[in-house]
Amino acid sequence: MVLYPVSAVLIPAIQQSFGEFYTRADAVPMQILAFGGVDKMRVSADPQFLDADGLELEFEEYSATADVALPDVQGAIDILAQFQNAHNEEFIFTSPIFSRTVIRDVTPPKVERVSARGVIADEAGVLWIREVGATLALDIEGSDVHSAVAEVAVIHNVDNSSGDPDAISFDLLNSPGGLTRLTRNIGLSGGEGSKTIWVYLRDRAGNTSAPAPLQVVVDATPPILAEPPLIAANATADNVLKGLSAQLQFQFPLDDASSLTEADAPVVMRVGDRQSHRASHR
């Protein structure tokens, strides 16, 4: 009797990145190449070849392809295959177990931080710039738990919409995993006014993050004083001042870009009977 050794190669028919196979699906399609005269096989992600009911899987007819159900876990999962040569009922040869590892990741990456170099944000996180059509250099931080950030997209639409992530062009990254830091440039289209920049991240398994917004206001028009530019806010209707001090207030008309008004940003100057005077902007 001559025994021929069995060899096999298991190839997941999914995306490969940095030498690993990543998926976010509940099952993985496998290509199965077996040599050595085998005619039976069983393939499973269970280390004991048990089915959903806890029963041991039977050997079935050999096939070059198979869809293997994955457990509801994330991380590295071993796909196992075992073969038999059952041509001779008196001697059935069972092969060793062959394996291939896939990484299951169903959690989207997270945009941790987005900022623009050289631009200071206000208390609400809004960026204010004076240049129409400016190009901003964005510093972006993102993270992914079970695989790695693999792609990034930075968009600015004229209508400020976040767009459809399935229709957006992503740039590939060479990220090792964990916390990812990168820089991308984005040009602002249109004129003055409020604009929204959106940042997307995608991991190696194909999960896409929620869009992270960055609010920018372009205001290239200086404010213009109203007529009269200066009033005594505490004077009577006929401009009679009663008392020893005057509250002088500059008047600003509505600014379309920044919505600056007299009520929102008055410049107050108090003049009294003391030698020292103080001006403040509130």
Side-chain angles (χ1 to χ4, degrees), residues 170-265:
F170 280 74
D171 295 332
L172 294 176
L173 302 174
N174 186 10
S175 173
L179 184 65
T180 299
R181 294 184 175 91
L182 60 130
T183 300
R184 283 295 183 273
N185 294 332
I186 181 72
L188 298 177
S189 59
E192 296 181 83
S194 179
K195 305 176 185 300
T196 305
I197 299 170
W198 301 92
V199 177
Y200 288 91
L201 297 177
R202 183 172 288 165
D203 63 24
R204 295 178 183 175
N207 301 296
T208 303
S209 71
L214 182 65
Q215 195 73 27
V216 180
V217 176
V218 179
D219 182 3
T221 304
I224 302 173
L225 291 176
E227 182 61 38
L230 188 64
I231 63 172
N234 59 338
T236 63
D238 52 356
N239 292 324
V240 175
L241 181 64
K242 296 181 179 181
L244 298 177
S245 64
Q247 182 177 340
L248 303 181
Q249 182 170 295
F250 291 102
Q251 295 192 105
F252 295 89
L254 181 65
D255 185 315
D256 291 336
S258 59
S259 298
L260 181 64
T261 66
E262 173 188 338
D264 292 333

